[in-house]
Structures are given as structure tokens and as C-alpha cells.
Amino acid sequence: MKLIMLGAPGAGKGTQAAILSQRLGVPTISTGNMLRSAAKAGTPVGLKAKAYMDAGKLVPDEVIIDIVAQRLAQPDCANGFILDGVPRTIAQAEALEQAGVRFDTVLSLEISDEEIEARMEGRRFCHKCGATYHVDNAPSRVPGVCDQCGGQLEQRDDDKPETVKHRLEVYHQETEPLKDFYAQRGILCPVENQPSIEATTQVVLDALKL
């Protein structure tokens, strides 16, 4: 099964992708990890991406598409894959089509901006070991202290209110139009957000007839 996870930042794409990956036995491919791996491997396209990232610039579409195409050609993607974080724009989606990359389903996690803001502003991570928590949904036993290593819990800059609002604006402007793009191709599958991760997973599995 070849899937795209679509949804606003903080919608739970990574969480659901990880669950589906185990269930289906196919890899989850996130843009960030893919770019870092390509840069680390020192491939020509990876070095190109690294130069942009080191300069704090956005990696251009053509470089991202090259890296995606190379990653999807790996043996572990032969039975399918789950893309998380790409395509981000109509231009990237069109470039993937031109590169011959096809998908079975595009899962769109539907959640309100208000819920996203509450969810992301409550996220905390351990500076020491990277463990993640949420002040309401998954708090640490001692507030501000990591259960696993005793490290200090912090809020990522990405999760601060002003950043979250900006990221949502960018999503609505650049990425949300992909819903129409894939609806026209008959492969869009909207999934309404549920009160828990497990309930959302069940709706996703039902939608995929798994």
C-alpha cells in the first residue's frame, strides 16, 4: 500500500504513520529524516540538500523530489510506503507524478486549528534524551522533569503559540490545496480527528479497510 499522510502540523500524522507502518510492514518516510539521511550518506543530491540546510534555507522542490524518488527506489519500499511531510505543495505533487510516483490513498487527518493550537502548545520534550510529553494528555510524573532520565522538559520553539499560528497559515495556504488535487484523482480519504490516538487509529484502519 502506497500512502500519503496529509494534515496540519500537529494533526498526528507521525503518530498514525508509525502505527500503520507496523501494521502494514512498510516504511514510514518523513521528509526531515529523509533529508538528514541523504545528507549523511553524502550522495550528490544529499550534499546539495545539506548545503541548503546548513545555510538555513528551504530545500528546493527539485532536490526534495530527487531524494524522495531515490528513497522510494530502495528495496524496503517494494511492498509500499507511507509518506509523511511530502508533498507539501501542488508543485511537489505534480513533480512526483512526473517522476512516475503513484499512490493508492491520501489520508487527510481533519482537525480544527483550535485543537491543533491546544495540542501543540502543550507539547514538551526532554532536552537530554528527546522523550516527548504533553502537559494534559501525556504528562510526566513530576511536572517539568523527564520520567526516563530526569532531564528538564522544554517547549520547542516550533510549538510556541506565535510559531504554531504561522505554521497553520502556511499549511492552509500551501498544503491544504492538495486535498482538492488528490480528490480530483479519486484517492483522497478524509479522516475526522477522534478523542484519542487509539480511536483515530481505528477510524484510519476502517477507512483503509484493514
Side-chain angles (χ1 to χ4, degrees), residues 2-161:
K2 297 170 181 177
L3 294 174
I4 294 176
M5 300 298 291
L6 204 57
K13 299 185 296 296
T15 302
Q16 296 301 329
I19 294 166
L20 280 175
S21 172
Q22 279 197 319
R23 180 87 180 222
L24 296 169
V26 299
T28 291
I29 299 163
S30 82
T31 319
N33 291 345
M34 199 165 32
L35 288 171
R36 283 189 288 275
S37 299
K40 199 173 171 188
T43 61
V45 72
L47 292 173
K48 231 189 244 183
K50 187 176 186 302
Y52 284 101
M53 290 190 289
D54 288 349
K57 293 178 180 171
L58 282 176
V59 180
D61 282 357
E62 63 270 18
V63 177
I64 288 177
I65 300 307
D66 278 354
I67 288 174
V68 173
Q70 283 184 9
R71 178 66 187 87
L72 298 185
Q74 299 294 315
D76 64 338
C77 292
N79 294 323
F81 51 81
I82 302 165
L83 277 186
D84 173 14
V86 67
R88 278 187 191 276
T89 61
I90 298 280
Q92 286 184 3
E94 289 172 343
L96 283 170
E97 282 192 350
Q98 284 157 16
V101 180
R102 295 286 179 267
F103 305 100
D104 299 313
T105 305
V106 176
L107 277 174
S108 176
L109 300 181
E110 304 294 329
I111 179 170
S112 71
D113 285 6
E114 292 73 27
E115 285 177 273
I116 293 275
E117 286 170 19
R119 185 181 286 185
M120 292 178 79
E121 286 164 22
R123 294 202 296 201
R124 298 293 182 268
F125 82 107
C126 175
H127 197 65
K128 215 161 151 190
C129 74
T132 56
Y133 299 87
H134 192 281
V135 291
D136 298 320
N137 305 333
S140 56
R141 285 191 293 270
V142 178
V145 179
C146 178
D147 293 346
Q148 295 179 33
C149 74
Q152 188 180 345
L153 299 186
E154 297 178 7
Q155 186 179 43
R156 293 182 202 274
D157 287 340
D158 265 7
D159 292 338
K160 290 182 176 164

